[in-house]
Each structure stands twice: as structure tokens, then as C-alpha cells.
Amino acid sequence: MKNVGILISGRGSNMVSLLRSMKDENHPCLPRIVISNVKDASGLQKAKEFGVKTVVIDHKESKTREEHDKKIIDALNKENVDIVCLAGYMRLLSSLFVQNFKNRILNIHPALLPSFPGLNVQKKAIDHGVRFSGCTVHIVDELCDHGLILLQAVVPIFPDDTEETLSQRILHFEHKIYPLALRLFAENKFEIEEKRAILKITNKEYENLVKNLMWNGE
Ligand code: GAR
């Protein structure tokens, strides 16, 4: 069993999709703790409804990023966390944090990385006139929304899309790929190389997997 810690800053819909998936029989992961840096994040209540321990570690109560991250590292270590999932955790991680959980931190981002890292990315995709966007689950390194890509899902951008309609279409797929990526990651299905993570499944298995990761009129 792999112990999982989830970091949130807000509503936690991706956290819910992860917690729900970990209820499956034979799932290789156990959710041990949800940590929020925002004390009134609505995701905290949702985590409690899953019976998961929740902790608030307010970044405003620390003088430096390292000091704040150290508190989070301690809370995660207390629960023997193996894998950290960022789920709408809107803070950059210090190198201290990244090195502590090297290659064991996952993040979901609502764009097809390496395009459009950062904030307001659905608007940026529309403004840029790209025809497709989507979401990416990746391993976290020291840079913002950067690191080895694990899974991606693709959605079209329609001529009349607004930030809201596109966000909604992408979010639907976020809730699919994050649980899938976590499971494959925990089952050691990714071979981590310096510049990429190789998915160790057959072409046939990959074909079946990506069928669910492309918009088809939903
Ligand atoms: C999600 O769309 C997630 O991809 C994004 O924040 C939202 C959080 O929603 N994360 C990032 O932009 C990370 N750079 P949620 O709290 O409902 O999961």
C-alpha cells in the first residue's frame, strides 16, 4: 500500500476524484491526510466527509516558503506519506519540498503542458487561438507546472468558448486522468527517465486507455 497525502488550496474537486478512486477495492493507495494552506478552503469539508484527516497549514503564519514547506513535510512524514498529490494547490514548492519527495509529487494542470503553465490558462489558450487544450498530470520539479508528463487528456476549443465553458470541459477530464495517473504511478507503471516518463503498457492497452482521454461530444 502507498500512503497518499493531498495538498489543496480551494474547492478540491480533483481531491474528491482522487479520494473517490481510492475507495475502489484493490486500489494500491490509501489517503492519509489532506492539507490546505487556506483555512476556509471548501475542499476541507469534502475531505472530512470521506473520513480523511485534514490539517490547515496557513502559509501566512510562516516567514518563508521553506518554513511553511517544512511544516507540511513534517505533517506528511508523520503519516508516512509515499506520494504527494497537488490538487489545486496554488503555491510554488520550495526546492526543500521537491527534494524531500523527489519524483513522488504529482500535479494536475488544466492545459497541455509544456504549453500554458501558470495561472488563468484556459483564458490564455482561448486568447492564443489554439484549437485544442486539455489537462496534464505530471511529476513536480522545482519549476512552475513543470516536470515529467504522466498523462494528458485533450478537448477541443470551440469558437464561442468562454473561460468558464472551456474550464468545465477540461475539468471533466481532470477528474478522469488524475485518478488514472495516480493508480498507474502507484503500480510503478511509469519508468522515470531524465527527460520523460515512459508508460510501461502495451500499445493495445494504451489505445484503450486514451479512448477515454479524448473529448467525444460529451
Ligand atoms: C484545477 O483546474 C487544477 O487543474 C488547477 O486548479 C484547479 C483546482 O480545482 N490547478 C492548477 O492550475 C495548477 N497550476 P479543484 O480545487 O476543484 O481541484
Side-chain angles (χ1 to χ4, degrees):
M1 269 293 180
K2 299 270 168 61
N3 290 330
V4 170
I6 304 177
L7 270 53
I8 63 168
S9 299
R11 69 187 166 178
S13 74
N14 277 290
M15 171 206 73
V16 167
S17 77
L18 293 174
L19 293 178
R20 199 171 279 145
S21 73
M22 284 185 264
K23 281 186 162 295
D24 284 359
E25 228 183 300
N26 304 324
H27 199 285
C29 299
L30 198 65
R32 292 296 300 259
I33 187 167
V34 168
I35 302 175
S36 171
N37 66 309
V38 177
K39 76 171 185 319
D40 51 5
S42 60
L44 287 166
Q45 181 53 34
K46 296 176 193 159
K48 286 189 186 123
E49 285 161 21
F50 277 86
V52 180
K53 176 175 177 176
T54 60
V55 177
V56 174
I57 303 180
D58 190 336
H59 59 276
K60 290 190 237 108
E61 286 167 17
S62 295
K63 284 198 193 72
T64 63
R65 189 176 300 279
E66 280 72 19
E67 189 185 320
H68 179 239
D69 282 1
K70 180 79 178 54
K71 292 179 192 168
I72 300 179
I73 293 168
D74 289 346
L76 293 168
N77 282 338
K78 224 168 102 189
E79 300 297 327
N80 294 315
V81 164
D82 302 299
I83 302 171
V84 181
C85 292
L86 309 184
Y89 182 69
M90 301 313 254
R91 280 181 63 80
L92 277 178
L93 297 179
S94 62
S95 177
L96 177 78
F97 194 113
V98 174
Q99 291 308 322
N100 244 273
F101 290 95
K102 194 168 170 55
N103 287 339
R104 292 186 293 138
I105 311 167
L106 311 188
N107 181 41
I108 182 129
H109 181 72
L112 292 175
L113 293 173
S115 290
F116 307 120
L119 295 173
N120 308 317
V121 295
Q122 295 91 343
K123 182 173 185 312
K124 282 180 192 155
I126 291 171
D127 289 350
H128 220 88
V130 294
R131 301 304 192 221
F132 291 92
S133 189
C135 44
T136 305
V137 178
H138 65 98
I139 294 180
V140 173
D141 65 16
E142 270 93 351
L143 303 176
C144 175
D145 298 317
H146 190 270
L148 303 182
I149 289 167
L150 298 181
L151 284 183
Q152 293 184 306
V154 181
V155 306
I157 299 182
F158 291 100
D160 68 347
D161 259 331
T162 62
E163 194 177 346
E164 288 69 34
T165 56
L166 179 60
S167 299
Q168 207 46 45
R169 193 173 305 120
I170 292 173
L171 192 65
H172 174 80
F173 283 92
E174 292 188 42
H175 297 161
K176 285 187 178 198
I177 60 165
Y178 211 177
L180 199 53
L182 172 62
R183 188 173 190 130
L184 291 165
F185 186 77
E187 289 171 347
N188 296 315
K189 292 274 170 60
F190 293 101
E191 194 177 309
I192 308 299
E193 290 192 342
E194 200 193 326
K195 294 207 167 141
R196 60 178 187 153
I198 300 170
L199 191 45
K200 293 187 290 183
I201 60 177
T202 64
N203 280 357
K204 190 76 204 158
E205 286 168 328
Y206 188 64
E207 195 182 314
N208 284 329
L209 188 139
V210 294
K211 267 183 203 153
N212 295 317
L213 304 183
M214 282 187 270
W215 186 88
N216 65 353
E218 287 163 64

